[in-house]
Amino acid sequence: MTLSNQLSDPRLFRQYAYIDGKWTHGDGGREEAVFDPATGEALGHIPLLEDAQIRGAVDAAETAFVHWRALRADERCERLLAWYDLLQANREDLAILMTLEQGKPLPDARGEVEYGASFVRWFAEEGKRTYGETIPSHIPNAALGTLKEPVGIAALITPWNFPLAMITRKAAAAMAAGCTVIVKPANETPFSALALAELAERAGIPAGVFNVVLGDPPAVSRILCAEDRVKALSFTGSTRVGRLLLEQCANTVKRVSLELGGNAPFIVGPDMDPKEAAYAAVAAKFQTAGQDCLAADRILVHESIHDAFVGFFAERMAALTVGNGLSNEIDLGPLIHAQAVEKAAAIVDDAISKGATLVAGDQSQAPGPNFFMPTLLTGVTHDMKIWHEESFAPVAGITAYRDDDEVIEMANDTEYGLAAYLYTHDIRRIWKILRALEFGMVAINSVKMTGPPVPFGGVKHSGLGREGGVTGIDEYLETKYYCLGALGSVSGS
Ligand SMILES: NC(=O)c1ccc[n+]([C@@H]2O[C@H](COP(=O)([O-])OP(=O)(O)OC[C@H]3O[C@@H](n4cnc5c(N)ncnc54)[C@H](O)[C@@H]3O)[C@@H](O)[C@H]2O)c1
Ligand SMILES: N[C@@H](CC=O)C(=O)O
């Protein structure tokens, strides 16, 4: 069955770029296939645009900016809410598209559509609250204050693991602020981005406000970073690529927001019920088959409950089902491609060669070449790759610790600083560890931590800036200070 036959609305499946309200093929005729990671079958093709076409997208965004920024905030809000309504109305098709190109189980894809849409609604409303300030004047006969103004064109570069929500969390904030956007999705998962464009058009978002470009990623990114007319770059992806883009933006002194890799510790205190904590750790590790920046990569368990915890973890993990995300009752879909499977295997081999114990993870049971069976290693240590690298795979590493000071040191022993989990009911321990953790987000006795009201982001090499929440829109706003002088007699402020 072709992809479009699986959708109620086949027009949501687009195989073109979207620039200035037009579906666009590559002027050079170059194309790239997009594959279903579960089956290896080609789902369709995307055009690889020429450099001049990427600059054309900047021209379109520049022209559209003049009118879009001039709308009142409540007018932009109405368009964004219409987009939100269409995302909800087409939820099932968007989820099917996502499962086909990304591989995540259909219920998770539905959850991501809901999650992605929630950012559109949130920022539609937040756009009406971009308040400036009145400043008590120290200058005679003057009024002082600030205005908030959109930065201009924003380039948004996004990863394949969350093909829809990583776009809307940026685009809705930027568009609500009055910016126009150029989205460059990952080539592995372009169809969710193109469906967003189709729905943006139907929602009445004017041509040139929301553009989607496709091409050779380094070439496209280089142009967007070097373009002086692009005033902000927001990137979600690996720390390696984030560093490159930060360098490339230096010449044009852009506003740069980076949401990069994570290597989350999951700390379990001695007071915890080992079963409750182990089940939570399984949930925090295996979402999106471990391909999640929030995945619990290093599970640090107090020595007094370590063995019981490992038993419950292994039992829960054994119940996870692996298969095509379109089938019923699947917990883990495939990894995104063969290189991801190779990387996972290398991380496991490295750990075993350095003394870790393989408790479970029989890869001969994998239902296809891109699948990796949930794997559990114990006795993981600082010298192993699994300790320092984001595995981005369903590989869990557990180790025991003696006391709070030791676990704090272990948890912070990483260049990353995105998210950490802490399971304990001891309020003193919670406060001590919470304050000592060098992470942008800490979830205490909860696996779920994200959502529109949350300032999402990391410290250290996990990024710059925050997305979502009341501050997420600031990434796309400039503060303009004014001093309105010679007013005659102005009393007070
Ligand atoms: N902090 C967060 O919010 C967050 C969220 C999701 C994913 N991530 C991170 O994303 C990573 C996984 O995603 P990925 O593999 O798509 O990341 P990636 O860095 O390989 O790719 C991200 C984007 O950059 C583009 N890209 C790749 N190589 C490039 C290059 N040399 N020059 C310019 N652009 C390039 C890709 O096409 C894609 O659009 C993980 O590290 C994960 O932790 C972080
Ligand atoms: N789960 C994260 C995405 C990370 O990969 C989120 O909620 O943003």
Side-chain angles (χ1 to χ4, degrees), residues 115 161-162 166 169 292-294 450 456:
Y115 181 50
N161 66 334
F162 280 74
M166 297 302 98
R169 192 160 65 189
D292 191 316
C293 58
L294 304 179
T450 59
F456 191 103

Side-chain angles (χ1 to χ4, degrees), residues 261-265 267 298 300 387 404-422 430-443 457-463 466:
N263 180 6
I267 302 171
R298 292 168 300 139
L300 312 172
W387 192 279
D404 292 347
D405 290 331
E406 187 185 35
V407 81
I408 289 168
E409 202 180 313
M410 284 172 154
N412 289 337
D413 178 24
T414 169
E415 66 173 356
Y416 296 106
L418 188 60
Y421 301 85
L422 172 58
I430 289 176
W431 191 243
K432 175 178 174 170
I433 297 180
L434 169 63
R435 296 306 301 265
L437 285 173
E438 297 164 355
F439 292 83
M441 300 179 284
V442 181
V459 300
K460 293 164 72 177
H461 294 200
S462 286
R466 293 292 179 272

Side-chain angles (χ1 to χ4, degrees), residues 3-10 12-13 92-94 96-97:
L3 193 158
S4 45
N5 287 344
Q6 300 185 57
L7 305 179
S8 321
D9 181 350
L12 290 178
F13 174 49
E92 192 61 15
D93 275 353
L94 292 170
I96 292 169
L97 255 181

Side-chain angles (χ1 to χ4, degrees), residues 157-162 166 169 184-188 217-219 221-222 235-242 244-245 248 258-262 291-294 337 390 392 416 418 456-458 462 467:
I157 303 181
T158 55
W160 48 260
N161 66 334
F162 280 74
M166 297 302 98
R169 192 160 65 189
K184 195 218 81 61
N187 286 12
E188 291 88 341
S221 302
R222 214 173 293 116
F235 171 76
T236 297
S238 63
T239 296
R240 181 186 68 80
V241 175
L244 272 174
L245 300 185
Q248 289 175 19
L258 300 175
E259 295 289 345
L260 308 178
Q291 304 170 110
D292 191 316
C293 58
L294 304 179
H337 40 45
E390 213 185 2
F392 240 51
Y416 296 106
L418 188 60
F456 191 103
S462 286
E467 290 192 331

